[in-house]
Amino acid sequence: MTAAQSKKHYDLSEVLIDEKTLAKRIAELGAEITKDYEGRSIVLIGILKGSIPFIADLMRHIKLDDLEVDYISVSSYGRSTKSSGVVRILKDLDSDIKSKDVIIVEDIIDTGLTLAYLKEYFMGRNPNSLKICTLLDKPSRRKVDIRGDYVGFQVEDRFIVGYGLDVDQRYRNLPFISWIKEE
Ligand code: IMP
Ligand code: MG
């Protein structure tokens, strides 16, 4: 049996958010951030791996001279589609965010556990300000009081894949947002 054959089968459903709609909304978010942070220096922190396509598109719509990008890698889900509530830091920031204006860039806020943890973790490093920009928001699943300052789209309680989001590390490469049927 090849590696591909031994992988679990997932039923990919219809397109929820197409490429054009994603591009348009991300351009709007970039413009909003540009306006809010005019004349300031910002650090975007992408949460690996899910935020990669989003942060890559978003940063090109933020028209500020002094913009840095850094990444942190955390693991909260393992291989399953249910949150364990356990956040592990796999790769920390490279830069010092003390006194900086920081925006966390995330693919989706689901239970909020990951961002609640990261928010506290980053606040411990004394940034000047800390905001959250998330492409997707699933408010119905929230377990802690966390909200995005910049939100692309609200989605229903479905398991989303594509444009960075994965199931079992797959489908991150889809250029649109879809969802899978869970058994
Ligand atoms: P939270 O801690 O429950 O808010 O979940 C945070 C992380 O879980 C996100 O950054 C995603 O990586 C992952 N996640 C949550 N919901 C989904 C989903 O619908 N599809 C794929 N990944 C998800
Ligand atoms: Mg993630």
Side-chain angles (χ1 to χ4, degrees):
M1 207 187 251
T2 66
Q5 282 171 331
S6 67
K7 280 198 171 172
K8 199 176 150 197
H9 172 79
Y10 293 101
D11 273 333
L12 205 57
S13 302
E14 77 276 7
V15 175
L16 273 185
I17 309 171
D18 65 25
E19 282 184 75
K20 251 178 108 173
T21 311
L22 281 171
K24 184 169 174 280
R25 183 70 188 122
I26 292 166
E28 287 170 1
L29 289 175
E32 214 181 310
I33 291 171
T34 305
K35 191 157 94 5
D36 292 352
Y37 288 84
E38 205 189 326
R40 287 156 74 183
S41 334
I42 66 171
V43 185
L44 298 183
I45 300 181
I47 304 183
L48 297 174
K49 305 167 191 164
S51 71
I52 286 280
F54 177 42
I55 195 171
D57 286 339
L58 178 71
M59 71 169 90
R60 284 177 282 181
H61 287 286
I62 302 176
K63 312 292 182 197
L64 298 173
D65 288 338
D66 197 353
L67 179 149
E68 291 177 31
V69 184
D70 203 346
Y71 297 94
I72 191 164
S73 179
V74 298
S75 151
S76 58
Y77 269 55
R79 289 166 63 85
S80 106
T81 55
K82 293 278 178 290
S83 178
S84 62
V86 180
V87 176
R88 236 175 4 120
I89 294 185
L90 306 175
K91 180 226 164 279
D92 208 338
L93 298 179
D94 296 330
S95 53
D96 186 6
I97 58 167
K98 189 172 179 321
S99 307
K100 301 274 179 74
D101 289 311
V102 175
I103 304 176
I104 305 176
V105 181
E106 175 62 307
D107 51 5
I108 187 166
I109 311 180
D110 186 30
T111 63
L113 290 167
T114 307
L115 275 177
Y117 178 89
L118 284 178
K119 220 177 153 182
E120 218 175 288
Y121 183 69
F122 292 144
M123 283 313 282
R125 295 180 180 192
N126 300 310
N128 183 54
S129 68
L130 182 65
K131 284 197 178 179
I132 294 170
C133 176
T134 186
L135 178 66
L136 307 174
D137 186 14
K138 240 193 256 179
S140 60
R141 298 242 317 153
R142 206 70 98 248
K143 286 187 181 156
V144 286
D145 183 24
I146 277 279
R147 44 166 213 96
D149 299 286
Y150 303 95
V151 177
F153 305 88
Q154 288 209 344
V155 289
E156 287 168 37
D157 185 9
R158 292 173 169 175
F159 199 81
I160 308 291
V161 293
Y163 198 72
L165 291 109
D166 74 301
V167 60
D168 223 353
Q169 298 303 325
R170 290 163 65 195
Y171 303 123
R172 293 192 197 273
N173 55 324
L174 295 177
F176 50 83
I177 297 280
S178 183
W179 61 287
I180 55 151
K181 293 172 186 139
E182 296 177 71
E183 321 74 77

